[in-house]
């Protein structure tokens, strides 16, 4: 069974704020849920399936109660920043199986203003913490820097090439009034920003923001009755890539497995993609993912991103036209939801006119969660216009 | 605790699965689990072979030699590493196969290179265990 054409994204909403000290985590979940439902032309009473991560209380148990939902399906698949793309895939499969009709997926987080929503260990920690926790790792950047060093060593990738990815995102963020970093930057400015963890500079890193987002996935019969443009779910692929019993390879991501699964289900290939939302926790995340999804050969990502390839509307592969996690928003330290939302905007023709890709029929959204140097979730979605 | 190199030496939290591994580090020995069924060397240490599913595993003594698979120089640190920067976090590929996360201790971490041969050193935590770190092969424990 395939999910191709069995479900549609009918509503999407990105919280407009980037620092939200005055609202609780659950309030932000409610903000984005109501925003996405209003966008779809639906109400809370229409929702019969709910998806969220593990960040709020008891996950979907706590949130279904807070939101007053009556659900036949809930799912709290936790694969870090890629969770929300997995949720859309799982929602589409549940809809295709007849288990539900209207699925709500929400994300909220407040890492900028508080530790509310901090995802700590519950119960006994798994063993890796004692073999990775003593070396002075400063969050994700240390891990992603390890991948960047190795990629540079094997393929000659340069800091200038990585910086070019940030520059492209910043050119898009200029057109987004809600972007956390709304100003264009140059390659030189990226390279002159302070080194955080060699070879990654401060501007190779994404922003830290409060916020959230939500999408509504619905059955074809529900979607047809709504006024909004229909965004068809064409394919979904997901995986976990881990250290593989001490044989970790830092030069590729889980996208090498999730990408082909999604393309196969959609009956499409990389050349069919008009717009791509590529997870951009760091510049190296984008570069490796582009290679792994087949937009260029392994090791050629550095060459691929040059000459404005990623810049909308006319680059070879316009990416992250909202400014991405690198410049716009990385709510809750999780960029997956905003990857879906900007792909929906592009397919509806509702991206900012300066970055709207002409005749955008096929969009790819890719999420990465956890750490590229240890264990990561990778999820790829292919979405299309109604006739795709 | 602090090592001679000025790096903090935070103590790990041994579990029923890893107590023997950590006790050996205090004696200056790096143990690796090896599967009794399929001979796969396992990392991180666990009494389970993720290659074949066996739960019979024996400890072997690592040579302590390896090469740098990748590294990064942290330009600032947090928690116990607040005043330790710059320092190198690395994956070292052991002679026995596994790539393990660690520190490479060096006066000039920015001059380290991928592929460089390294040798294990142990930094005592004072709590019945030691951290396995590495230095350039042939140099002193600085």
């Amino acid at each position: 069974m395939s999910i191709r054409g069995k479900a549609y994204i009918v509503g999407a909403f990105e919280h407009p704020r980037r620092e939200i000290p005055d609202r609780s985590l659950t309030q932000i979940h409610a903000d984005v849920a109501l925003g996405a439902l209003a966008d779809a032309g639906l109400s809370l009473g229409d929702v019969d399936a709910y998806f969220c991560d593990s960040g709020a209380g008891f996950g979907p148990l706590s949130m279904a109660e807070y939101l007053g939902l009556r659900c036949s399906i809930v799912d709290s698949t936790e694969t870090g920043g890629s969770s929300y793309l997995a949720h859309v895939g799982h929602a589409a499969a549940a809809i295709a199986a007849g288990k539900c009709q209207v699925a709500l997926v929400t994300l909220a987080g407040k890492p900028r203003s508080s530790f509310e929503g901090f995802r700590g260990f519950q119960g006994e920690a798994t063993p890796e913490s004692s073999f990775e926790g003593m070396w002075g790792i400063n969050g994700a950047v240390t891990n992603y820097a390890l991948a960047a060093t190795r990629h540079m060593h094997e393929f000659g990738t340069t800091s200038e090439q990585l910086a070019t990815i940030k520059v492209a995102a910043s050119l898009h963020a200029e057109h987004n009034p809600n972007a956390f970093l709304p100003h264009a930057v140059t390659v030189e400015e990226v390279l002159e920003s302070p080194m955080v963890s060699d070879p990654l500079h401060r501007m190779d890193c994404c922003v830290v923001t409060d916020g959230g987002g939500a999408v509504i996935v619905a059955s074809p019969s529900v979607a047809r009755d709504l006024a909004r443009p229909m965004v068809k779910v064409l394919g979904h692929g997901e995986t976990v890539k881990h250290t593989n019993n001490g044989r970790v390879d830092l030069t590729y991501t889980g996208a090498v497995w999730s990408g082909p699964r999604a393309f196969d289900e959609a009956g499409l290939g990389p050349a069919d993609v008009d717009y791509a939302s590529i997870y951009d926790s760091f510049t190296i995340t984008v570069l490796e993912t582009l290679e792994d999804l087949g937009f260029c050969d392994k090791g050629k990502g550095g060459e691929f991103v040059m000459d404005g390839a990623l810049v909308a509307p006319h680059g070879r592969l316009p990416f992250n036209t909202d400014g991405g996690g690198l410049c716009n928003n990385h709510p809750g330290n999780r960029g997956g939801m905003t990857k879906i939302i900007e792909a929906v905007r592009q397919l509806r023709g509702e991206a900012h006119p300066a970055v709207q890709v002409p005749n955008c029929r096929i969009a790819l959204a890719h999420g990465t969660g956890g750490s590229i140097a240890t264990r990561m979730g990778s999820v790829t979605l292919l979405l299309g216009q109604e006739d795709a | 605790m602090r090592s001679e190199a000025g790096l903090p030496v935070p103590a790990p939290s041994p579990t029923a699965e890893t107590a023997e591994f950590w006790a050996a580090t205090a004696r200056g020995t790096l143990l690796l689990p090896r599967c009794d069924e399929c001979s796969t060397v396992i990392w991180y240490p666990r009494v389970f072979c993720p290659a074949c599913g066996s739960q019979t595993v024996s400890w072997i003594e690592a040579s302590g030699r390896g090469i740098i698979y990748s590294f990064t120089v942290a330009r600032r640190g947090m928690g116990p590493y607040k005043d330790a920067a710059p320092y190198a976090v690395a994956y070292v590929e052991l002679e026995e196969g596994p790539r393990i996360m660690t520190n490479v201790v060096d006066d000039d971490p920015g001059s380290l290179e991928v592929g460089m041969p390294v040798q294990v050193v142990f930094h005592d935590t004072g709590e019945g265990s030691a951290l396995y770190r590495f230095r350039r092969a042939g140099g002193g424990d600085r």
Side-chain angles (χ1 to χ4, degrees), chain A residues 124-139 141-151 153-154 194-200 202 242-252 371-375, chain B residues 8 10-18 21-22 40-46 49-51 68-78 81 87-91 96-103 110 114-115 131-133:
Chain A
E124 186 176 335
T126 42
E128 72 268 17
S129 59
S130 265
F131 297 95
E132 297 169 7
M134 305 87 74
W135 315 121
I137 290 173
N138 298 311
V141 66
T142 312
N143 277 292
Y144 283 74
L146 287 168
T149 299
R150 186 68 197 184
H151 200 279
H153 173 78
E154 289 201 27
M195 192 69 85
V196 178
S197 195
D198 302 29
L200 297 181
R202 185 164 187 219
H242 49 66
T243 56
N244 187 26
N245 190 27
R247 278 70 173 174
V248 69
D249 186 329
L250 299 179
T251 63
Y252 68 91
S371 167
I372 198 171
T374 55
R375 55 209 62 80
Chain B
S13 305
T15 67
E17 257 184 303
T18 61
F21 173 88
W22 288 114
T40 298
V41 178
I42 296 162
W43 188 265
Y44 51 80
R46 71 199 86 164
C49 175
I68 297 175
Y69 172 71
S70 192
F71 75 99
T72 179
V73 181
R75 298 292 168 173
R76 52 185 143 167
M78 304 190 308
Y81 282 77
Y87 56 89
V89 178
Y91 266 115
E96 292 80 6
R99 293 169 179 163
I100 73 174
M101 194 180 281
T102 184
N103 298 119
V114 173
L131 296 189
Y132 47 94
R133 287 174 166 141

Side-chain angles (χ1 to χ4, degrees), chain B:
Chain B
M1 293 288 287
R2 280 194 173 276
S3 73
E4 312 91 293
L7 286 180
V9 192
S13 305
T15 67
E17 257 184 303
T18 61
E20 190 164 344
F21 173 88
W22 288 114
T25 59
R27 304 190 300 269
T29 300
L30 182 63
L31 293 181
L32 295 170
R34 186 173 62 191
C35 176
D36 289 349
E37 301 294 329
C38 74
S39 299
T40 298
V41 178
I42 296 162
W43 188 265
Y44 51 80
R46 71 199 86 164
V47 186
F48 178 84
C49 175
C52 76
S54 166
Q55 288 184 294
T56 55
V57 163
S58 300
W59 296 100
I60 63 169
E61 196 169 319
S63 73
R65 289 188 294 272
I67 59 169
I68 297 175
Y69 172 71
S70 192
F71 75 99
T72 179
V73 181
R75 298 292 168 173
R76 52 185 143 167
M78 304 190 308
Y81 282 77
K82 194 162 82 66
D83 302 315
Y87 56 89
V89 178
Y91 266 115
V92 164
E93 182 175 311
L94 300 177
E95 272 189 344
E96 292 80 6
R99 293 169 179 163
I100 73 174
M101 194 180 281
T102 184
N103 298 119
V104 177
V105 184
D106 202 89
D107 285 342
D108 182 10
S111 70
L112 296 170
E113 292 176 14
V114 173
M116 196 172 261
V118 290
Q119 175 71 42
V120 72
V121 294
F122 292 92
H123 293 161
D124 196 341
T125 66
E127 297 184 27
S129 59
L131 296 189
Y132 47 94
R133 287 174 166 141
F134 290 78
R135 59 170 168 74
R136 298 182 199 221
D141 179 10
R142 297 176 294 185

